[in-house]
Amino acid sequence: MPDAAPTPVVTVFLRHRGNVLLLRRSDDVGAYPGRWGAVTGHVEDDDPPASALQTIEEETGLRDTDVRPQRQGAAFTVEDDDHGTHWRVHPFLFDVDTRSIQTNWETEEVEWASPTALLRRDTVPDLWTSYRRVAPSILGVTNDTTHGSAYLSIRALEVLRDRAGMLAHSEASTIEDARGRLVGTAHRLLDARPSMAAMGNRLHRAMHASLPELPPDAVETNAHEAIQNALAADAAAAETAAAQVGGAHVLTLSRSGTVLSALQAADPSPTVSVAVSGPEEEGVGVAEHLAEAGLDVTLLPDAAVAHRLREGTIDAVLVGADTIQSSGAVVNKAGTYGAALAARRAEVPVYAACAVDKISVDDDTSDESAPDRTVYDGSSDVAVWSPRFDTTPPALITGGLLTDRGTLEADELNTVTEELAKLRTWT
């Protein structure tokens, strides 16, 4: 084992649409020529996060404005006795919106691939360990209170895909044991956020496609395909919504990736009023994002939503959906029901935009609540009631459901729920 202190390095995974960027090192590099790796560089000034951004720019041409930090994993030591070196690896994960990069002399070949491809490649030492330290996890999916169900459904599919890839690659267990572990992972994911129909439907779809034997390699392939199909469905729903609200003055609340994409894609660009969406104020980030994209945006407190609608300047209310019940009722961030009531009084149409995967088969929506401290952190004996979601009756969704299959009418929901129910037969 080498006696010198380990060399600190960053290993950065760039993620785009469920794939990560893999780089095959050129023959000109001093360490591990010809092997596959991620974006890698030395830590400068004892500052791993800054070094990660600097390395991204040096090796891909992407600047800090092009990447979104998602996770910094715990550092670990890699001992390479064969080369007489050891490394202190600081793993990072960033999301990017583009695959257009410019590599330098250190890279011979690039590929955007499923992270599980690392299990079958000749990589730099412990690259899979680096990825696992920043990869989505069941705990992360369970505890995420920032993102919507479309985003979390993709993360859940990534967890399923990665687990299936590991089991398919492992030689330490029998086929029956591997299948049992994989089924257990699927059920733990299903139990993580039972109120999120999109997560359940998309996990069920990946498992159902792998019947009858549910071999890990098939689940790995089908889960990765389900990620691509889910992203395409979310994009198609956004296109349907964009066509509806072009040039309008739209009021929205909370954070919905589908709504955000729709507002950015609408032509002509809409004017947008965004409720702060307490207690966690995710509407603030939405407003900032839209303003940076060049839209005319106004941020308002939740208590002012009804007043804003009464003014007569709003043309439409557009919200996302955590779940669509089979009746057509919309389960979404608390405040949606009040906005819909005020919109009906103001004769403003209300639209809910989402992929049909968000339609619930059993309408079992749990009563999730925000942590009490986000509402009141004082010392008085004050009870706190802070539901995360509320349910808006179908009669108040006056504009309709804007989905990847166009605008759905209430009588079309039964057909969709029957289709989604069949996906559960794998269990």
Side-chain angles (χ1 to χ4, degrees):
M1 181 181 297
D3 295 327
T7 302
V9 296
V10 292
T11 294
V12 183
F13 293 93
L14 300 183
R15 182 175 62 190
H16 179 262
R17 299 180 67 82
N19 291 302
V20 295
L21 177 64
L22 305 182
L23 307 173
R24 191 165 69 83
R25 299 169 64 80
S26 74
D27 293 335
D28 297 325
V29 298
Y32 313 113
R35 295 198 193 183
W36 288 92
V39 175
T40 305
H42 290 276
V43 173
E44 304 291 344
D45 301 322
D46 197 27
D47 190 346
S51 298
L53 291 171
Q54 179 181 340
T55 301
I56 290 171
E57 183 171 356
E58 290 174 353
E59 295 197 7
T60 70
L62 298 175
R63 300 180 180 274
D64 56 356
T65 53
D66 300 317
V67 300
R68 300 186 302 280
Q70 298 300 314
R71 190 173 180 184
Q72 178 178 352
F76 67 101
T77 300
V78 175
E79 298 176 352
D80 186 354
D81 294 339
D82 292 340
H83 291 80
T85 59
H86 59 160
W87 315 90
R88 188 64 177 169
V89 180
H90 298 265
F92 290 85
L93 174 69
F94 289 80
D95 277 342
V96 296
D97 293 327
T98 179
R99 295 189 181 186
S100 178
I101 62 171
Q102 296 179 346
T103 58
N104 61 18
W105 62 271
E106 297 180 45
T107 297
E108 178 70 23
E109 183 180 354
V110 302
E111 183 178 348
W112 291 90
S114 167
T116 54
L118 297 174
L119 296 167
R120 302 171 178 88
R121 301 285 178 92
D122 182 18
T123 71
V124 299
D126 289 331
L127 188 59
W128 180 253
T129 301
S130 293
Y131 170 71
R132 291 297 296 159
R133 298 208 169 199
V134 295
S137 66
I138 296 176
L139 183 62
V141 170
T142 302
N143 294 338
D144 191 314
T145 60
T146 302
H147 298 97
S149 59
Y151 176 94
L152 290 176
S153 71
I154 302 301
R155 305 287 84 85
L157 286 169
E158 289 176 342
V159 173
L160 180 66
R161 174 202 61 197
D162 294 348
R163 181 62 168 164
M166 292 173 63
L167 290 168
H169 184 71
S170 173
E171 298 178 355
S173 59
T174 65
I175 294 296
E176 291 76 15
D177 180 52
R179 185 185 301 114
R181 294 185 184 187
L182 185 55
V183 168
T185 297
H187 280 293
R188 288 194 295 276
L189 285 166
L190 290 167
D191 292 339
R193 304 296 286 268
S195 67
M196 290 186 171
M199 184 181 299
N201 288 330
R202 288 170 173 175
L203 289 167
H204 285 308
R205 181 173 281 108
M207 295 297 283
H208 185 271
S210 305
L211 289 174
E213 299 298 328
L214 298 176
D217 57 346
V219 176
E220 176 190 357
T221 298
N222 290 325
H224 192 65
E225 183 176 340
I227 291 170
Q228 311 311 315
N229 292 339
L231 290 167
D234 294 335
E239 290 177 5
T240 301
Q244 187 67 56
V245 300
H249 186 166
V250 178
L251 184 142
T252 190
L253 54 84
S254 189
R255 178 184 177 89
S256 162
T258 302
V259 170
L260 194 59
S261 295
L263 293 174
Q264 290 178 280
D267 187 19
S269 295
T271 300
V272 186
S273 291
V274 185
V276 167
S277 306
E280 294 170 345
E281 300 186 348
E282 59 268 30
V284 175
V286 171
E288 291 174 338
H289 195 90
L290 292 173
E292 290 168 2
L295 276 70
D296 181 357
V297 183
T298 300
L299 188 65
L300 60 146
D302 296 358
V305 166
H307 182 55
R308 186 68 159 173
L309 285 160
R310 185 183 178 187
E311 282 185 331
T313 59
I314 303 295
D315 300 311
V317 174
L318 177 64
V319 297
D322 190 82
T323 295
I324 303 294
Q325 295 183 349
S326 58
S327 65
V330 174
V331 180
N332 196 47
K333 174 67 185 284
T336 304
Y337 182 31
L341 283 170
R344 182 171 68 175
R345 184 64 179 259
E347 298 183 344
V348 173
V350 178
Y351 301 93
C354 66
V356 297
D357 281 343
K358 288 193 175 183
I359 297 173
S360 174
V361 173
D362 52 24
D363 289 351
D364 180 17
T365 55
S366 64
D367 184 19
E368 294 189 33
S369 298
D372 290 353
R373 66 181 180 276
T374 62
V375 178
Y376 179 72
D377 60 359
S379 58
S380 298
D381 186 15
V382 176
V384 173
W385 182 65
S386 182
R388 289 191 188 280
F389 306 111
D390 60 27
T391 302
T392 303
L396 294 181
I397 309 300
T398 52
L401 301 177
L402 308 176
T403 78
D404 48 313
R405 302 184 186 181
T407 302
L408 280 190
E409 303 296 335
D411 58 359
E412 297 178 276
L413 291 178
N414 286 338
T415 301
V416 176
T417 55
E418 290 174 2
E419 170 191 322
L420 295 172
K422 292 179 181 177
L423 299 177
R424 301 185 173 202
T425 56
W426 74 268
T427 59

